[in-house]
Amino acid sequence: MGVDMSNPPTKDFFASPALSLSLAGIFRDAGAAAAAAAANMEVEEGDEGSGGGGSGKREETVEISSENSGPARSRSEDDLLEHDDEEDDGDKSKKKKRKKYHRHTAEQIREMEALFKESPHPDEKQRQQLSKQLGLAPRQVKFWFQNRRTQIKAIQERHENSLLKHELDKLRDDNKAMRETINKACCPNCGMATTSKDGSVTTEEQQLRIENAKLKAEVEKLRAAIGKYAPGAASTSSCSAGNDQENRSSLDFYTGIFGLEKSRIMEIVNQATEELKKMATASEPLWVRSVETGREILNYDEYVKEFSVENSSNGRPKRSIEASRETGVVFVDLPRLVQSFMDVNQWKEMFPCLVSKVATVDVICNGEAPNRNGAVQLMFAELQMLTPLVPTREVYFVRYCKQLSAEQWAIVDVSIDKVEENIDASLVKCRKRPSGCIIEDKSNGHCKVTWVEHLECQKSTVHTMYRTVVSSGLAFGARHWMATLQLQCERLVFFMATNVPTKDSTGVATLAGRKSILKLAQRMTWSFCHAIGASSYNTWNKVPSKTGEDIRVSSRKNLNDPGEPLGVIVCAVSSVWLPVSPNALFDFLRDEAHRNEWDIMSNGGPVQSIANLAKGQDRGNAVTIQAMKSKENSMWVLQDSCTNAFESMVIFAPVDIAGMQSVITGCDSSNMAILPSGFSILPDGLESRPLVITSRQEKSNDTEGGSLLTIAFQILTNSSPTAKLTMESVESVNTLISCTLRNIKTSLQCEDG
C-alpha cells in the first residue's frame, strides 16, 4: 500500500495538539533504535534522457511489512544503491542511460542494523569486515551508515520542532484561560475582586482534590506514627515541592525526622553515583557472562573488594542479593527520558507492569532547570509482578539526577538506612544498593541506556511456580526494566507518527481515529496491570475450583470513575504453568483466527478483524478491533497485544459498538467505559539460553522451558455501587476462568500439563 510523500496529512487529522512527527521519517527509521526494522521500499525509475527531454517518471511505493524484514528505505538511501551505466561504445553521448538498483536483502539490512545499534560510526575495519560478510562493496556499507545517521537526525529535529510548537500552544492556552479567570473574578464596573466563586468544578479537579487529600492524610499519619508530629499539625512538607518556601520547609522536616543533614545525603548520593558508573562500565572480573544463559552475573567477592562493602546484615533477617545489568538503545530524546524518571506519574505510566504505587515523599533539592540536573528526591515505590502469587516489594530510596558530561546523564537510586528505619522499620524488606541507569545521548533521536539493578531483599516465601524466575533476579532485574522501557518508547514513536501507511492502520481512515484508539488501548492496559497484581490496592481471597486451579478473587465498587462501568466489579485471577514456549502461547492467544477455540463468549463462531493498528516493529505489538457474531447478536472486542524480550500480554475488553464507531472516527475516548480482561505470559525461568522473541528463535525454543500464564477476568456483577457481592457472581467468574483454561490446554494439547 503506498503513501504519497508529497501530500502529508494536515493538522485536521489531529484529535488533540499531540506531538507530531512526519510519517516519512518515523516509519522509515523507527527501527534504527527500537528492536528490528519492518519496512521495505521498492523503487522503479524510468529512463532518464540525457538531453532536455525531462519526460522520465518516478513512482515511489512505501510499504511497512508486518514481518521483521528490515528497515524502510528512503529516497536518499536509493541514491546509495549500486547502479551500472550501460553505454554503447559507438555513440555514448546520445544513448539513454538506465540505472539498475541493487536492493539489499532482509538479512543484509538486519546485520547492518545490528551493528548500527552498537556503533553508528563504524571504523574502516568494521566496514570492511561487514562488507565481506554481506557480500557488499565497502562503499555501499559506508553510504548506508551515513544515510541512516542523516535520517535519524532529521527525525530528531522534526520531533524537537513539534515539541516546541506544542509547548507554545499549551502556554498560549494557559495564558488565555488565566485571563478569562481574572476577568470572571473581577467586577465589570469597578474592577475589584468579587467574593463569589464559580461553583462548577470539573470531575478531573474533584479527583485531584480527593487524591491530594488522601496523600496529605497519609503524610500526617506517617508523622503521627513516628511521634514527632501530632495529627492535624501544620504541614511542613509536600509530595512535590514547587517553590523555594516549600523546599526550605521540606528540608527542615527532612533533618528533623530522619536525622540526616542535606550535606550527608549529598555525600551518599555522590558516592552512589561513582559506584553506579563503575558497575555500568566494568567488565571481568566484576561481571562474568554466564555460558548457559548469556546473562551477566555479578562476582560478589570482587564487588566487596572493589567497593569496600561492609556486612550490612548485622541484626537483620537473612537477605538475598540480586544484581543484573542490561544495555540497550531506546528511540527517545534525552530530555524526555530524564523527565520520565523524575516525574513519578510519568515513571509509573512508563512501567505499568512493574510499578503499582509510587510517590515522591520529599524533595531534597529541586535541581537546575530545565533538565533537573542535581535534583534529589526521596521516593517510595511498590513493585509488582502481574500475578497475585508474588508479593509486592515496597522500597524507599533516594533518586538523584546528575549530568556527567555533555552527552551522559545518570539516574541514581540508593536506599539510605536511617531514612528507612525512621519511616517504618517493618517495611524495610527490600533495599536498593546503588542502582539506576547511565543514559548516553546519541544526538540522532535515540539514547543508549545501561541499566544496573542491585537489590538487597529479605528472603520470603514465593509460590513454587514463580520461585525460579524471582530468585534468579529475572522478575525485578535490569532485563525486565530495559525491555519494558524499549517497548514503551517504541509505542510512543508509533503513536506520534503523523503519516501512517494503510497497511499498518487497516480499518481506520483518519489519523485522529488511530490516535483515539491507541489512547483507549493504553488506558485499558494500565487498568489491567493495576487490577491483577498483589498490590495493597487489591484484597485477594482464594476460592475453591471444580477443576483444581488456584483461583483468587477480589471485588471493588466504582462510584464515579467514567473510565469503567459503575457498580460492583469482580476480578478473578489464576496463574498456571503450561509446557508451551512463551512465543507460541502469545501467538495463539492474540490471533483472532484462534479466538473461538478458547473464548467462550464467541460460542465457537468465527471472529472477524475490523481494524488492526501497528504500535511497534514486532508484528505482535498491535491494537485490533474484533467482531464476534452469533445468531442472537454481535459483539466488538478491543484487544491490545504487546510483547518484548521478557514478557507478553494480550488484553481485551468488550466495547459498545456505537461508542467504538465514534472513537474510530476520532472522537475522544477518555469517558468510554471499559473493563479489561486478559493474559500475562512469562518464561518459567528454566530456559538454557536467552529468550529472543523472533519467529526464527521461536521454533528452536518450543522444547525449552515452558510458560507462566496468568489469566484474569473482570465482570460487572451489579450496576448499583451499593449492592453486595453474591456467591453466584463468584461462581460465574470462577467457571469462566476454568472453562477458558481448559479450552486453552485442549487447543495446545497440554491437558496433562
Side-chain angles (χ1 to χ4, degrees):
M1 183 69 64
V3 173
D4 186 357
M5 298 298 181
S6 63
N7 295 301
T10 63
K11 290 184 179 179
D12 294 337
F13 283 93
F14 284 86
S16 60
L19 299 178
S20 59
L21 289 177
S22 169
L23 164 80
I26 284 293
F27 280 84
R28 196 163 55 228
D29 308 302
N40 282 327
M41 175 176 283
E42 298 178 357
V43 178
E44 298 177 359
E45 184 163 350
D47 296 341
E48 293 181 356
S50 58
S55 61
K57 294 183 179 179
R58 172 184 172 85
E59 295 181 358
E60 186 173 74
T61 302
V62 178
E63 179 182 350
I64 293 193
S65 170
S66 61
E67 300 290 333
N68 292 335
S69 55
R73 294 200 184 100
S74 66
R75 169 68 175 135
S76 56
E77 186 175 349
D78 293 335
D79 297 336
L80 309 181
L81 302 180
E82 181 181 5
H83 57 86
D84 299 316
D85 295 340
E86 296 181 356
E87 299 177 349
D88 191 288
D89 294 333
D91 192 1
K92 295 181 180 179
S93 62
K94 295 182 181 180
K95 290 285 185 180
K96 294 182 179 179
K97 299 178 181 178
R98 180 183 297 274
K99 295 182 180 180
K100 293 184 178 179
Y101 289 84
H102 172 82
R103 187 180 183 188
H104 296 313
T105 65
E107 182 63 30
Q108 290 171 337
I109 293 172
R110 276 196 295 270
E111 293 295 332
M112 289 190 285
E113 285 289 356
L115 179 58
F116 184 84
K117 291 177 184 178
E118 296 296 328
S119 176
H121 296 269
D123 54 28
E124 183 65 27
K125 183 178 179 182
Q126 288 175 306
R127 291 198 301 268
Q128 290 283 354
Q129 183 179 357
L130 188 60
S131 64
K132 291 179 181 178
Q133 178 184 345
L134 301 179
L136 297 173
R139 173 176 168 275
Q140 288 177 293
V141 176
K142 177 181 178 182
F143 284 173
W144 188 93
F145 275 84
Q146 287 179 353
N147 190 53
R148 180 63 69 216
R149 291 192 296 267
T150 302
Q151 291 166 345
I152 295 179
K153 184 177 180 181
I155 289 178
Q156 184 194 23
E157 291 173 352
R158 287 194 293 272
H159 180 191
E160 290 173 350
N161 291 339
S162 301
L163 187 62
L164 291 173
K165 183 179 181 302
H166 174 64
E167 291 296 329
L168 181 60
D169 291 340
K170 185 178 178 182
L171 289 173
R172 285 174 177 166
D173 292 340
D174 291 344
N175 188 290
K176 182 179 178 182
M178 284 189 286
R179 288 180 183 273
E180 291 177 354
T181 303
I182 292 171
N183 291 335
K184 290 179 181 179
C186 295
C187 175
N189 297 323
C190 64
M192 297 296 291
T194 60
T195 56
S196 62
K197 295 183 179 180
D198 187 0
S200 61
V201 181
T202 64
T203 303
E204 183 179 2
E205 288 173 342
Q206 290 177 345
Q207 293 293 339
L208 288 173
R209 289 176 183 176
I210 292 171
E211 186 66 20
N212 193 30
K214 289 180 180 178
L215 290 173
K216 286 182 179 179
E218 289 180 10
V219 170
E220 292 197 7
K221 192 185 298 181
L222 184 69
R223 294 173 186 162
I226 297 171
K228 299 291 184 180
Y229 291 84
S235 175
T236 57
S237 175
S238 63
C239 286
S240 57
N243 53 46
D244 294 339
Q245 181 64 34
E246 288 177 340
N247 205 26
R248 281 197 296 272
S249 62
S250 179
L251 286 174
D252 294 339
F253 168 66
Y254 205 90
T255 303
I257 289 186
F258 305 130
L260 289 174
E261 298 292 339
K262 179 180 177 182
S263 58
R264 175 56 183 157
I265 296 173
M266 296 306 299
E267 180 184 342
I268 292 173
V269 296
N270 283 322
Q271 290 175 353
T273 303
E274 293 303 314
E275 179 173 326
L276 176 64
K277 287 162 60 178
K278 291 181 181 178
M279 291 281 282
T281 56
S283 54
E284 293 188 7
L286 187 61
W287 292 96
V288 180
R289 188 170 295 278
S290 168
V291 178
E292 294 181 351
T293 65
R295 290 190 293 270
E296 291 182 305
I297 301 173
L298 179 67
N299 183 339
Y300 192 71
D301 292 337
E302 193 67 29
Y303 170 78
V304 172
K305 186 190 306 181
E306 175 72 24
F307 298 105
S308 303
V309 178
E310 298 179 1
N311 185 8
S312 59
S313 61
N314 46 344
R316 290 179 176 169
K318 192 172 183 181
R319 292 174 174 258
S320 60
I321 304 297
E322 297 177 10
S324 54
R325 182 173 71 174
E326 193 76 16
T327 300
V329 176
V330 295
F331 192 83
V332 65
D333 58 285
L334 188 141
R336 177 183 286 271
L337 186 56
V338 171
Q339 178 63 22
S340 67
F341 280 99
M342 301 309 294
D343 184 293
V344 290
N345 292 323
Q346 293 185 31
W347 189 54
K348 183 179 178 181
E349 290 176 358
M350 186 73 80
F351 302 98
C353 56
L354 276 160
V355 181
S356 54
K357 282 184 184 178
V358 65
T360 301
V361 179
D362 214 338
V363 176
I364 301 160
C365 180
N366 275 321
E368 301 172 4
N371 292 328
R372 305 286 304 277
N373 180 29
V376 182
Q377 56 196 38
L378 175 64
M379 298 175 63
F380 165 79
E382 182 185 65
L383 308 180
Q384 68 170 3
M385 287 187 68
L386 296 182
T387 175
L389 300 185
V390 178
T392 58
R393 293 182 172 183
E394 295 177 323
V395 56
Y396 285 91
F397 59 94
V398 173
R399 174 161 288 178
Y400 180 38
C401 173
K402 177 67 174 176
Q403 184 173 8
L404 304 178
S405 65
E407 294 82 20
Q408 273 195 341
W409 286 68
I411 303 295
V412 187
D413 295 344
V414 61
S415 294
I416 300 177
D417 290 340
K418 203 162 190 177
V419 171
E420 297 167 330
E421 291 165 0
N422 279 318
I423 289 178
D424 189 348
S426 66
L427 292 178
V428 189
K429 297 179 180 178
C430 185
R431 300 180 65 256
K432 280 202 170 196
R433 292 188 176 184
S435 304
C437 51
I438 303 295
I439 306 171
E440 184 178 352
D441 187 5
K442 291 299 185 178
S443 300
N444 52 7
H446 70 273
C447 297
K448 179 181 178 182
V449 179
T450 302
W451 197 300
V452 175
E453 201 66 24
H454 195 181
L455 300 171
E456 178 183 328
C457 299
Q458 180 179 323
K459 290 190 175 181
S460 59
T461 304
V462 178
H463 195 280
T464 53
M465 271 195 303
Y466 288 89
R467 193 167 296 162
T468 301
V469 74
V470 172
S471 62
S472 65
L474 287 174
F476 300 98
R479 184 186 180 197
H480 193 178
W481 289 95
M482 177 63 73
T484 305
L485 177 63
Q486 289 176 318
L487 179 66
Q488 294 295 325
C489 289
E490 186 181 58
R491 184 171 192 154
L492 178 64
V493 167
F494 275 71
F495 175 78
M496 292 189 301
T498 58
N499 195 358
V500 184
T502 307
K503 183 174 182 181
D504 289 290
S505 191
T506 58
V508 181
T510 65
L511 183 65
R514 173 184 169 86
K515 285 180 175 290
S516 188
I517 294 172
L518 291 178
K519 281 184 180 179
L520 179 59
Q522 190 165 35
R523 175 162 66 86
M524 179 176 70
T525 298
W526 287 339
S527 175
F528 178 81
C529 294
H530 186 269
I532 72 168
S535 170
S536 55
Y537 283 129
N538 309 314
T539 302
W540 297 102
N541 297 303
K542 187 175 180 180
V543 297
S545 168
K546 298 176 182 178
T547 53
E549 286 87 9
D550 187 359
I551 298 178
R552 284 167 168 77
V553 175
S554 71
S555 64
R556 66 183 186 276
K557 295 181 179 181
N558 179 28
L559 302 176
N560 55 9
D561 182 4
E564 63 180 22
L566 300 179
V568 180
I569 298 171
V570 174
C571 178
V573 181
S574 181
S575 296
V576 297
W577 178 86
L578 295 178
V580 182
S581 76
N583 297 325
L585 184 56
F586 172 69
D587 286 339
F588 170 77
L589 293 173
R590 73 177 178 85
D591 189 354
E592 67 269 11
H594 293 292
R595 189 178 194 98
N596 57 6
E597 298 180 30
W598 58 264
D599 192 347
I600 62 176
M601 299 299 293
S602 68
N603 293 319
V607 179
Q608 178 186 359
S609 178
I610 297 174
N612 190 313
L613 310 180
K615 60 182 181 69
Q617 295 292 341
D618 192 295
R619 64 184 182 276
N621 289 317
V623 174
T624 59
I625 302 174
Q626 302 171 4
M628 295 187 289
K629 296 182 179 180
S630 63
K631 296 179 180 179
E632 294 79 13
N633 56 8
S634 61
M635 180 174 67
W636 282 16
V637 172
L638 177 67
Q639 176 176 292
D640 185 9
S641 59
C642 25
T643 182
N644 58 40
F646 180 77
E647 66 183 339
S648 304
M649 289 187 290
V650 179
I651 302 161
F652 56 89
V655 291
D656 176 66
I657 296 179
M660 200 66 215
Q661 287 173 336
S662 67
V663 171
I664 291 175
T665 62
C667 294
D668 183 26
S669 62
S670 58
N671 288 328
M672 186 172 181
I674 195 164
L675 194 58
S677 301
F679 308 95
S680 169
I681 304 167
L682 291 175
D684 58 9
L686 301 177
E687 83 284 358
S688 61
R689 68 185 68 175
L691 290 175
V692 180
I693 295 184
T694 65
S695 56
R696 177 172 298 181
Q697 285 289 343
E698 177 181 325
K699 297 177 182 178
S700 62
N701 277 346
D702 280 342
T703 58
E704 297 179 10
S707 300
L708 298 175
L709 172 67
T710 296
I711 175 174
F713 279 100
Q714 296 191 94
I715 62 172
L716 181 70
T717 63
N718 198 308
S719 58
S720 172
T722 59
K724 294 184 178 180
L725 182 64
T726 63
M727 284 306 299
E728 289 79 9
S729 302
V730 175
E731 283 294 325
S732 297
V733 74
N734 191 333
T735 303
L736 185 60
I737 281 193
S738 298
C739 292
T740 304
L741 280 174
R742 185 172 63 249
N743 291 343
I744 292 173
K745 292 178 180 180
T746 301
S747 298
L748 296 176
Q749 299 179 352
C750 53
E751 293 90 339
D752 297 329

